[in-house]
Amino acid sequence: MEKTYETRAMWSHCFLRDKFFGYIRTTSQCECINSLIRFYVNRKNTLIDFMHNLDSALKEYRNNELITDFKSQFSEPVMITSLEVYERSASCYFTQNIFKEIRNEIQRVGALNIKVLSTTLDKVKFSVTALGDPAKDLRVEVDRGKNLFSCSCKLFESRGILCSHVFCAMKFKNILEFPDSLIYKRWTENAKYKFISTEMPVNDDIERVLKFRVGALASNCNKLCDIACKDVADFDK
């Protein structure tokens, strides 16, 4: 058992590569938060100082999120690949960080070779190999009837971004638009807007909706308090 655990890097990936974890690993999220809080909190703080400094850390988190959202919605990245139609389409849907990863996959298409293995009705199976490494053979299947795409590398299933092999198949079939099945909603610019709503969904859990409303109002109230506390007139009003 000890030997198996030591060699886990050689076998564990095959069991996890089609599971989506949203880029969150076991300890990385906690370590990231701890490293940020260390800048604001130390053991000499009183309880009041601790609460005040912790609130400052949370404000920085929220401010970073606002800046990232603004850049994603109101800035347009420079197109750098020869497959501009895919690059520009990705820039319209995804946040900046995810777009950069997808652009990296688009750039790799130029180093891939593709050939058709079989064609049945609306389904086409491809073999995709890297230039200079024909032994590494990946299989891509395109179902134009259902508008579905799949690749044996499982990058879309594990990370929610489209792999270079599917892009290569789309280029071969002259598919210019991003199919809805390849747009992972979690990584889009408007992913969180559906969770911040004042409308009561039909046949939904009322308690769940009320929690969403409280969260949306609390977020805006925090901004209001931060502005009002800096001026006596605003504070009195």
Side-chain angles (χ1 to χ4, degrees):
M1 288 180 67
E2 289 178 355
K3 184 178 179 181
T4 302
Y5 181 75
E6 290 172 358
T7 60
R8 63 191 182 281
M10 302 172 62
W11 56 262
S12 61
H13 180 67
C14 66
F15 293 99
L16 300 174
R17 65 175 186 162
D18 60 343
K19 303 296 188 296
F20 180 77
F21 295 103
Y23 290 81
I24 295 177
R25 294 174 180 155
T26 308
T27 59
S28 62
Q29 190 77 356
C30 296
E31 290 172 356
C32 178
I33 294 173
N34 289 340
S35 64
L36 174 66
I37 292 178
R38 284 196 195 100
F39 288 103
Y40 296 90
V41 177
N42 60 66
R43 56 187 176 183
K44 294 181 180 179
N45 290 146
T46 64
L47 183 58
I48 294 177
D49 290 336
F50 170 76
M51 296 304 298
H52 177 75
N53 294 339
L54 183 62
D55 186 59
S56 298
L58 292 175
K59 286 179 180 178
E60 180 176 338
Y61 249 89
R62 295 183 179 119
N63 185 61
N64 291 339
E65 182 181 358
L66 290 172
I67 292 173
T68 304
D69 288 345
F70 180 84
K71 289 181 178 179
S72 294
Q73 294 178 24
F74 298 104
S75 62
E76 187 174 343
V78 178
M79 304 295 109
I80 62 174
T81 71
S82 58
L83 298 175
E84 184 177 335
V85 62
Y86 297 141
E87 194 178 359
R88 191 169 297 281
S89 183
S91 69
C92 295
Y93 289 113
F94 300 101
T95 62
Q96 277 198 341
N97 290 338
I98 298 299
F99 165 73
K100 290 176 182 177
E101 294 205 29
I102 293 177
R103 183 169 61 187
N104 291 337
E105 295 297 323
I106 295 173
Q107 286 181 305
R108 296 190 182 103
V109 174
L112 298 176
N113 294 318
I114 187 170
K115 66 178 180 180
V116 178
L117 294 178
S118 64
T119 303
T120 56
L121 296 177
D122 293 329
K123 291 185 178 180
V124 184
K125 291 184 178 180
F126 298 96
S127 171
V128 181
T129 57
L131 185 64
D133 188 15
K136 192 175 181 179
D137 181 23
L138 291 165
R139 301 300 172 91
V140 177
E141 183 173 320
V142 178
D143 187 343
R144 292 305 304 275
K146 297 180 180 179
N147 218 17
L148 298 176
F149 301 76
S150 63
C151 178
S152 58
C153 75
K154 302 293 183 182
L155 184 67
F156 185 77
E157 288 80 0
S158 63
R159 293 170 61 185
I161 64 174
L162 198 57
C163 65
S164 57
H165 316 110
V166 174
F167 275 120
C168 190
M170 290 172 61
K171 174 188 171 186
F172 185 85
K173 295 294 291 182
N174 199 35
I175 300 172
L176 304 180
E177 295 293 331
F178 253 82
D180 291 338
S181 60
L182 299 180
I183 300 174
Y184 202 83
K185 298 297 188 294
R186 184 188 184 96
W187 303 140
T188 58
E189 294 178 354
N190 301 322
K192 64 183 181 182
Y193 289 167
K194 67 178 181 178
F195 295 106
I196 303 176
S197 175
T198 57
E199 296 180 1
M200 182 71 72
V202 180
N203 298 327
D204 204 348
D205 184 5
I206 296 177
E207 291 296 326
R208 180 167 170 265
V209 174
L210 293 179
K211 288 179 181 178
F212 285 145
R213 288 183 180 178
V214 169
L217 292 174
S219 177
N220 287 317
C221 285
N222 284 333
K223 300 173 190 175
L224 176 64
C225 294
D226 186 56
I227 295 171
C229 72
K230 296 174 182 177
D231 183 84
V232 176
D234 290 339
F235 176 75
D236 292 338
K237 185 176 180 179

